[in-house]
Amino acid sequence: MYNNSVISHNTNTDINTNTNTNINANTNINTNTNTNANINANTEISTNTDANSRPKYKMAIFDMDGTILNTIDDLAASINHALRVNGMPEHSVVEVKGFVGNGIRKLVERAVPPGTEEEDIDRVFASFHEYYKDNCAVMTKPYDGIVNVLDELKRAGVILAVVSNKAEYAVKQLCEDYFPGTFDIAAGDVEGRRRKPYPDSVNAVLEKMKINKSEAVYIGDSEVDINTAKNAGMDLIEVGWGFKEEEFLLSEGAPFVIHNPEDISAIIINNK
């Protein structure tokens, strides 16, 4: 487990702005970043904006599992490996979907047989971590359309973040593997910080990037994400392609559920 609670870019920025009476800005931002998450990014963002075309939000904070990455097959394979080597019965992928959302410890607690002793839970937990750190990107893949949406948001100048209950090492590795140079900041599960739905991780990235919660939107796929946004006092975009069904999400308080990743950019950039 890594102990860095927040991974962020240190950025030297050169901004040249030419403005006329119509408030048209030509902005060139050249960013060369190197983070302690080993995410190396050379990013160039070019935007032509006026007062009517600014994004609705300055920052978009994404959940990871079930929102930007379909991780369920690797999670299921890893928990079943941990159960198997400890002599416990395994679960189907559908069953594992019902276990995820509150971090790996809770996944393990839900997967072991009822009445399992704490020391046995600890062994399964350790077996999961040992296996998953080397196998977290075997079957995992971005959801269709997500990469294009993230690129579009970045071109529009939106700050991009990931906040996950996934272990920090996995958040770092998956960002490197699937979204190199895309996210400006990421936070995973670390010791000493409460997991979602507590707003601690969300508040940490907002503070680090100096963004007010009213200027940011949270995007997720579960009831945990619904409550995270509520506890952080933020607007929410709930997606329906993840691990939970739309009817359930609406019953848990989602204001709406989208089913096309392009709707994210339509809401954030085009104010749809």
Side-chain angles (χ1 to χ4, degrees), residues 200-236:
D200 302 29
S201 298
V202 170
N203 290 339
V205 299
L206 289 171
E207 181 179 354
K208 186 72 175 180
M209 302 306 292
K210 296 180 172 55
I211 297 292
N212 189 282
K213 63 184 179 182
S214 65
E215 300 173 313
V217 63
Y218 185 88
I219 302 106
D221 75 299
S222 73
E223 75 280 9
V224 174
D225 298 311
I226 293 169
N227 289 317
T228 298
K230 182 186 299 183
N231 292 336
M234 291 177 59
D235 288 348
L236 170 71

Side-chain angles (χ1 to χ4, degrees), residues 26-267:
N26 295 314
T27 304
N28 184 43
I29 303 175
N30 295 314
T31 306
N32 187 357
T33 59
N34 189 340
T35 76
N36 60 359
N38 296 321
I39 302 175
N40 298 316
N42 292 310
T43 306
E44 182 170 308
I45 304 173
S46 298
T47 58
N48 292 316
T49 62
D50 58 34
N52 295 320
S53 65
R54 297 189 185 103
K56 182 177 182 180
Y57 300 100
K58 291 183 178 180
M59 186 176 191
I61 302 176
F62 288 84
D63 170 56
M64 180 170 272
D65 298 63
T67 301
I68 58 175
L69 284 178
N70 186 351
T71 58
I72 193 63
D73 289 330
D74 283 329
L75 287 169
S78 298
I79 190 61
N80 282 331
H81 168 83
L83 293 168
R84 185 167 57 252
V85 299
N86 285 280
M88 298 180 187
E90 300 176 33
H91 295 280
S92 69
V93 172
V94 173
E95 289 173 322
V96 175
K97 277 188 178 182
F99 299 156
V100 300
N102 297 91
I104 291 174
R105 181 73 186 191
K106 186 61 69 174
L107 164 61
V108 171
E109 291 174 354
R110 291 166 175 165
V112 298
T116 299
E117 296 292 335
E118 196 70 22
E119 63 184 17
D120 293 325
I121 295 175
D122 290 342
R123 279 197 291 269
V124 176
F125 183 70
S127 297
F128 179 97
H129 275 290
E130 182 180 0
Y131 185 85
Y132 190 63
K133 69 182 179 182
D134 296 323
N135 296 278
C136 66
V138 176
M139 295 174 281
T140 289
K141 60 183 179 180
Y143 286 101
D144 290 344
I146 280 293
V147 171
N148 289 339
V149 167
L150 293 173
D151 288 344
E152 186 176 2
L153 292 174
K154 200 163 187 69
R155 287 195 302 270
V158 178
I159 298 168
L160 300 180
V162 171
V163 169
S164 175
N165 277 341
K166 183 183 290 294
E168 186 91 337
Y169 66 80
V171 175
K172 293 195 305 180
Q173 180 175 333
L174 292 170
C175 280
E176 292 169 2
D177 288 346
Y178 296 105
F179 311 107
T182 297
F183 288 99
D184 300 287
I185 187 168
D189 181 25
V190 293
E191 187 175 354
R193 184 171 63 204
R194 297 179 299 179
R195 302 181 186 94
K196 298 183 299 181
Y198 289 104
D200 302 29
S201 298
V202 170
N203 290 339
V205 299
L206 289 171
E207 181 179 354
K208 186 72 175 180
M209 302 306 292
K210 296 180 172 55
I211 297 292
N212 189 282
K213 63 184 179 182
S214 65
E215 300 173 313
V217 63
Y218 185 88
I219 302 106
D221 75 299
S222 73
E223 75 280 9
V224 174
D225 298 311
I226 293 169
N227 289 317
T228 298
K230 182 186 299 183
N231 292 336
M234 291 177 59
D235 288 348
L236 170 71
I237 299 174
E238 192 76 0
V239 308
W241 55 76
F243 300 159
K244 302 299 171 71
E245 298 294 329
E246 178 176 5
E247 183 177 355
F248 171 77
L249 296 173
L250 293 172
S251 72
E252 289 292 313
F256 57 87
V257 177
I258 64 170
H259 295 277
N260 188 334
E262 292 179 358
D263 291 338
I264 297 174
S265 53
I267 293 169

